Amino acid sequence: MLDERLRRPALLETVHLGETKVSFVPDGAVQGNPRLWLPDSTAETWAARPEYLDDDGYLVASIGGLLVERDGRALLIDAGFGPQSAPAEPGAPNGLLYGGGLLDSLAALGRKPEDVEAVAFTHLHSDHIGWAVQQAFPQAEYLVTEPEWTQREASGEIDAMTERVRTIKDGQEVFPGVRIRFAAGHTPGHAEYVITAGGQRLIAFGDAVHSPVQIENPDWSCVYDHDPVEAASHRRKLVAELAEPGTIGYGNHFADVVFGRVRDGRWQPLDR
């Protein structure tokens, strides 16, 4: 059953932390060439761990957002890839990349785009800002860390967000029970969000970890990490933190195991 979940994109899933409801909102997925995504891995690695690979030999990575609901209010962390796709290209790190499902996923949770009061970004890569640049959330402000915004790569899509962006600082509470913390490495201003409620905490760690196999191998940085050494250093600390009691992790790009805990040095998905 676990092997099957590792080979498919994540389904809509909800976790309750006291009065706070946290849901993965699927948008799409991307295939990752395992040797190119994780350059420190080897052919022997994947021969020994075939459960991580789909029928085409790719890692399966989900794309979507995390909806946080409390007292009738709604915050979205990351906004998927949007209604677009990119085909696989020979020799490229990515296989097929596609989005488009996030608004339908919100509707399945009983939410309309105008219910979202803010979209908080872990970083500004295209698979995290898709529906925001489509202006899909008419009432939302966009929350971005100051270093991520000031060091962004200029593009028409990102510049179109400018009027709605509010920069946020390390440790700031952005929603009841939700605090941001800087976790650079993947991008200069990459962020994680720590959600605390009901005597538990959930760490939405963005692209600090791309695949659950990195929980077992935290020194393996992704080809897309801006600073692989800094990313690995943070990931080692994060893995230790995710093993602490009362702590749940949320991996946006994990396969159908986005919510879980670290036990005995491995990712243990939450039971359904």
Side-chain angles (χ1 to χ4, degrees), residues 188-256:
H190 182 268
E192 298 171 337
Y193 293 87
V194 181
I195 303 165
T196 305
Q200 298 187 84
R201 65 173 173 171
L202 184 147
I203 303 173
F205 49 76
D207 283 14
V209 193
H210 285 77
S211 168
V213 74
Q214 289 174 281
I215 298 293
E216 305 166 46
N217 302 278
D219 290 337
W220 292 0
S221 285
C222 180
V223 66
Y224 295 117
D225 287 339
H226 163 77
D227 186 330
V229 173
E230 187 173 22
S233 176
H234 173 71
R235 196 160 39 250
R236 288 191 292 269
K237 296 173 186 174
L238 176 65
V239 169
E241 190 175 13
L242 291 170
E244 294 176 3
T247 301
I248 298 169
Y250 161 71
N252 177 76
H253 286 314
F254 284 16
D256 192 23

Side-chain angles (χ1 to χ4, degrees), residues 1 76 87 105 116 125 129 135 214 223 233:
M1 182 63 176
L76 185 66
S105 298
V116 176
H125 283 170
I129 65 172
Q135 304 296 333
Q214 289 174 281
V223 66
S233 176

Side-chain angles (χ1 to χ4, degrees), residues 18-29:
E19 297 178 1
T20 298
K21 178 182 175 183
V22 181
S23 302
F24 175 66
V25 188
D27 186 49

